[in-house]
Amino acid sequence: MAGGSGAYTRLLKRGGADRVVGLDASEGMLEMARWREAHEKLGVEYVCRDVADPGPLGPFDLVVGVYVLPYAESVERLHAMCRGVASVLAAHGRFVTLPLNPELSLDPAWYAPYGFTMRSEEPRVDGSPAVLTVDFGETQFSVSSQQWSRATYERALREAGFAAVQWDELRPSAEGIAESGQGFWERYVTCPHALILDCRMQPWPVAPQVRS
């Protein structure tokens, strides 16, 4: 969902996924993705549609959406996007997505060591706008999105039909720690700017009890 230029769709396809479809509402972004597909020939499909109304694309075992839900400019839109995702998932399907951390730091210097800053209005309320500004080497750009609470996300997902919703924190990779050191990442790990939402259409199975 919101496949953009196809970075994640290509990653999934190279990782062994059978059928991969990149969906985005921006034809401009998809043009770049299709250009890469024409040259790399990985077998990824790209369609221009709204996440809230994806049409008969599925069913899929997995939907990945990186920074998709924060673009919902209203609660109603957030609910519609979650229903759209659920509509293309199989009965056992899974939705993995990265929203902004509802408790992200608004200290201008907090994320600066990692190449970006976050700015938002105070006091923060559900739906408050947030601006992420990247300034890393020769790369500079800003992206605006919305901040939603954990309760608002969970309500929208459960009403869309997801039976299990779990929040996971981002962690630096072994390569990142080896390159920059554990101390470099301590601030980010304490308060990451984004989290992982792992959502399942069916409840997680209960682990069997071992009897002695």
Side-chain angles (χ1 to χ4, degrees):
M1 292 291 182
S5 60
Y8 296 102
T9 53
R10 291 190 293 273
L11 187 65
L12 290 168
K13 190 64 177 178
R14 291 193 180 103
D18 184 16
R19 182 189 177 212
V20 178
V21 178
L23 180 147
D24 202 288
S26 169
E27 274 289 3
M29 295 295 288
L30 291 177
E31 283 181 12
M32 182 179 295
R34 289 170 180 147
W35 182 86
R36 289 288 297 268
E37 174 60 27
H39 287 76
E40 299 179 24
K41 295 181 173 54
L42 296 174
V44 179
E45 305 169 46
Y46 293 99
V47 296
C48 185
R49 293 181 192 170
D50 188 345
V51 172
D53 187 20
L57 290 178
F60 296 102
D61 297 321
L62 171 68
V63 169
V64 176
V66 180
Y67 303 123
V68 175
L69 299 183
Y71 285 107
E73 58 282 335
S74 68
V75 172
E76 292 75 18
R77 173 70 176 168
L78 179 63
H79 280 247
M81 293 168 75
C82 292
R83 288 194 299 269
V85 173
S87 73
V88 299
L89 279 170
H92 60 273
R94 179 184 181 191
F95 175 40
V96 178
T97 186
L98 270 74
L100 293 178
N101 180 359
E103 295 85 34
L104 64 84
S105 174
L106 296 182
D107 178 351
W110 191 265
Y111 303 109
Y114 314 108
F116 66 94
T117 59
M118 294 296 308
R119 177 170 52 84
S120 181
E121 299 175 351
E122 288 280 15
R124 281 186 287 190
V125 297
D126 238 6
S128 291
V131 179
L132 182 151
T133 300
V134 173
D135 188 356
F136 190 77
E138 297 181 357
T139 303
Q140 294 91 27
F141 64 88
S142 294
V143 179
S144 298
S145 57
Q146 314 298 127
Q147 298 177 85
W148 299 103
S149 68
R150 293 183 185 233
T152 297
Y153 276 124
E154 291 176 14
R155 188 178 306 112
L157 289 161
R158 293 190 184 281
E159 290 186 6
F162 290 95
V165 178
Q166 176 176 297
W167 294 84
D168 297 315
E169 295 182 353
L170 297 177
R171 297 288 180 181
S173 65
E175 293 81 2
I177 293 174
E179 180 177 342
S180 302
Q182 185 73 50
F184 174 78
W185 298 104
E186 286 182 358
R187 175 181 290 191
Y188 187 83
V189 169
T190 300
C191 185
H193 83 290
L195 297 173
I196 299 172
L197 260 175
D198 190 347
C199 318
R200 313 287 180 109
M201 297 300 289
Q202 295 181 355
W204 279 283
V206 177
Q209 295 183 351
V210 179
R211 296 181 179 179
S212 57

